Amino acid sequence: MTSTRTIGHWADGTDFAGGSDRTAPVTNPATGAVSGQVALATAEDARTVIASAATAFPSWRDTSLAKRTAILFNFRELLNARKDELATIITAEHGKVLSDALGEVSRGQEVVEFACGIPHLLKGSMSENASTNVDVASIRQPLGVVGIIGPFNFPAMVPMWFFPIAIAAGNTVVFKPSEKDPSAALWMARLWAEAGLPAGVFNVLQGDKVAVDELLTNPTVKAVSFVGSTPIAQYVYATGTAHGKRVQALGGAKNHAVILPDADLDLAADAMVNAGFGSAGERCMAISACVAVGPIANELVAKISDRARTLKTGDGTRDADMGPLVTKAHRDRVASYIDAGETDGAKVVVDGRNVTADGADGGFWLGPTLLDHVTPEMSVYTDEIFGPVLSVVRVQTYDEALALINANPYGNGTAIFTNDGGAARRFQNEVEVGMVGINVPVPVPMAYYSFGGWRSSLFGDTHAHGTEGVHFFTRGKVVTTRWLDPSHGGINLGFPQNN
Ligand code: NAD
């Protein structure tokens, strides 16, 4: 079944079809049906959308903080009142269950709420009489046009990590969503218009590498926030910075949870199921490696498998715990990792490959899968799988568990489960990962803290949202002022001295 619905761009406060003859199909993962065709921008289309943002910038940066804040509050109220609509769009193109889609929107909304405090966040500082009759002030100003490039797995929350703060700080935005689920971006663009945001401040550019490359090389774009896989994050960082842009590029992940022998195993098993299979494992903060320390492994595996077997896989609009994977190709790729793990000697304790799903035959179904006796050389351990596959790695000591995590190329999130405060404290100090949970499996920071991993999970110096986000979307300026006074001292060609 195909659909002729076309999904275009948004520029200058209205729909923009662009001039490209290239499109990509958008599918409903729960049925396999094509629900529309998304435009894939030409470089010329991208330049038109960027020009819309550039035209809007001068008057938006000069719009008072009071007016900008009022629009942000409007956006927050509209989003809160109509989040069900956005969740429905996410489920229809991504596949995650509706409750999970609503959770995604709520986490994004928290960043909108943080950005409503922009007058306080942008306050500068001032020193009176730094030198005689000289005052010094520091202020932060917007950058101009900023690009945001998103992944498929959070079509609303990830862009909301960035655009509320970028806009509140006085920038104008071009957002390029994933071509797999492009409709949420357009819904948010219309909501901004309804909230009173002037035309051109928030724009949507649909497309693939062509659109991304224009954002990375066009001199009008001053900064790029990217979230996606590590190879593309690395490319975006290298290309954007080579073109003089400020870039934060968040990449892939392989998150470990360490279960110490003294942990509450029921709590840990619940947490492994939530963090391993929530959103079908298509989360950059999903736990994919469960590191069982010492003699607890058999009991832990039994508890996780009992729980995993109760999960209902099905259409996200029905009463399911876990939806389908985003595309058939991704579903087949994840299943091939389970095959490889089995061939390499891992024990398949719960097998999702032949799951009976509550949904259409054409859906991209893969049930929760638990692999035991996984070892660090297996591809199921080394690669980011991004699906509902949880691997149990057995080790004998805390030091072995720590060494495993610190040797991994990724460093996004991690968690430890224990009742020993000293062990937890040592872990938080020693582990080389950006976000750490202690008896918390998915430690996604609140909006007023910053989100970001270490090592190949992030390229650049600045994490997303929180005060680091405000810094990313502004640049500092220091103003030194002297109002002439009869004692100004006349001509002096020497370097300014304080007196
Ligand atoms: P992806 O890297 O395939 O795509 C991300 C974006 O890059 C998309 O907008 C896509 O259109 C664009 N893109 C793809 N190929 C490109 C190319 N060759 N040149 C230029 N642009 C290109 O990622 P995805 O599959 O959409 O998302 C899943 C990945 O994102 C996972 O690796 C996941 O861990 C990661 N992710 C990371 C975080 C984080 O916070 N670190 C959060 C969410 C997702």
Side-chain angles (χ1 to χ4, degrees):
M1 189 166 54
T2 53
S3 161
T4 51
R5 183 175 71 110
T6 53
I7 303 158
H9 320 281
W10 182 268
D12 200 20
T14 189
D15 288 306
F16 169 56
S20 178
D21 54 8
R22 293 186 312 127
T23 57
V26 178
T27 47
N28 180 338
T31 62
V34 174
S35 59
Q37 298 287 334
V38 62
L40 299 177
T42 61
E44 185 55 36
D45 294 337
R47 285 193 282 274
T48 302
V49 179
I50 292 167
S52 151
T55 305
F57 176 62
S59 67
W60 181 243
R61 64 159 282 169
D62 287 341
T63 301
S64 71
L65 282 168
K67 283 188 187 145
R68 281 191 239 156
T69 309
I71 293 168
L72 276 153
F73 271 104
N74 288 346
F75 184 79
R76 188 268 173 204
E77 289 304 295
L78 288 168
L79 183 64
N80 195 46
R82 290 172 44 192
K83 58 173 84 167
D84 288 348
E85 285 173 39
L86 183 54
T88 303
I89 291 169
I90 295 169
T91 296
E93 292 186 353
H94 176 282
K96 63 179 73 176
V97 298
L98 271 174
S99 57
D100 196 24
L102 266 176
E104 148 169 16
V105 177
S106 298
R107 292 309 302 261
Q109 184 178 315
E110 290 171 12
V111 185
V112 179
E113 288 159 4
F114 172 72
C116 286
I118 198 71
H120 183 71
L121 296 166
L122 283 187
K123 279 197 302 197
S125 60
M126 182 171 176
S127 302
E128 189 185 35
N129 229 19
S131 190
T132 306
N133 292 333
V134 171
D135 303 328
V136 183
S138 82
I139 54 179
R140 295 201 72 84
Q141 297 188 325
L143 307 174
V145 178
V146 300
I148 298 168
I149 301 162
F152 81 82
N153 67 320
F154 285 109
M157 182 188 77
V158 162
M160 280 197 270
W161 283 350
F162 306 107
F163 69 63
I165 299 172
I167 290 173
N171 302 280
T172 56
V173 168
V174 176
F175 169 43
K176 196 215 82 68
S178 165
E179 54 276 52
K180 295 189 178 100
D181 42 17
S183 298
L186 291 173
W187 187 91
M188 292 189 286
R190 291 195 175 91
L191 205 72
W192 272 122
E194 218 176 297
L197 192 72
V201 177
F202 180 76
N203 305 275
V204 177
L205 173 65
Q206 307 285 8
D208 54 9
K209 181 171 165 52
V210 175
V212 170
D213 283 349
E214 187 61 31
L215 286 172
L216 295 177
T217 55
N218 191 310
T220 301
V221 179
K222 301 302 178 203
V224 172
S225 300
F226 170 90
V227 180
S229 60
T230 288
I232 311 296
Q234 215 160 1
Y235 167 76
V236 164
Y237 185 75
T239 312
T241 51
H243 286 81
K245 299 182 200 320
R246 186 179 285 195
V247 181
Q248 51 181 183
L250 284 69
K254 190 82 192 177
N255 305 313
H256 297 63
V258 177
I259 319 295
L260 292 187
D262 72 318
D264 178 324
L265 293 189
D266 287 308
L267 173 84
D270 286 345
M272 290 308 93
V273 171
N274 296 341
F277 306 125
S279 207
E282 291 173 325
R283 286 180 183 151
C284 66
M285 290 291 278
I287 295 291
S288 53
C290 169
V291 186
V293 179
I296 52 157
N298 288 343
E299 194 183 345
L300 180 66
V301 168
K303 285 180 185 290
I304 297 173
S305 60
D306 284 350
R307 287 161 170 77
R309 286 195 185 96
T310 67
L311 295 180
K312 212 159 92 185
T313 303
D315 189 318
T317 60
R318 299 186 195 170
D319 179 29
D321 298 307
M322 213 181 85
L325 295 192
V326 68
T327 59
K328 178 162 189 325
H330 186 54
R331 184 255 166 234
D332 292 347
R333 181 175 172 275
V334 175
S336 76
Y337 272 107
I338 304 171
D339 298 343
E342 192 170 31
T343 307
D344 291 346
K347 183 176 171 203
V348 183
V349 182
V350 181
D351 191 345
R353 285 171 291 190
N354 296 312
V355 69
T356 307
D358 177 22
D361 288 345
F364 311 139
W365 308 115
L366 189 69
T369 298
L370 181 66
L371 301 177
D372 193 8
H373 298 285
V374 170
T375 56
E377 328 70 63
M378 296 180 185
S379 64
V380 74
Y381 176 80
T382 55
D383 296 4
E384 181 184 34
I385 298 176
F386 223 55
V389 181
L390 181 65
S391 297
V392 176
V393 182
R394 297 174 175 229
V395 299
Q396 289 314 310
T397 65
Y398 162 86
D399 287 328
E400 274 179 79
L402 181 75
L404 201 58
I405 299 173
N406 286 350
N408 197 275
Y410 299 106
N412 213 41
T414 189
I416 189 165
F417 287 80
T418 179
N419 282 312
D420 179 343
R425 195 162 178 276
R426 194 172 145 195
F427 183 73
Q428 102 181 19
N429 178 257
E430 294 176 339
V431 76
E432 291 177 16
V433 170
M435 293 170 282
V436 179
I438 295 172
N439 297 319
V440 172
V442 185
V444 175
M446 298 298 291
Y448 40 92
Y449 286 89
S450 297
F451 182 108
W454 287 13
R455 297 183 279 170
S456 57
S457 293
L458 187 142
F459 301 88
D461 305 316
T462 316
H463 292 193
H465 62 68
T467 45
E468 292 199 36
V470 178
H471 261 248
F472 185 81
F473 289 117
T474 54
R475 55 186 166 172
K477 187 180 268 181
V478 179
V479 184
T480 305
T481 307
R482 170 157 56 199
W483 289 109
L484 279 191
D485 157 302
S487 67
H488 71 90
I491 292 169
N492 178 356
L493 297 187
F495 195 71
Q497 305 281 318
N498 293 320
N499 50 47

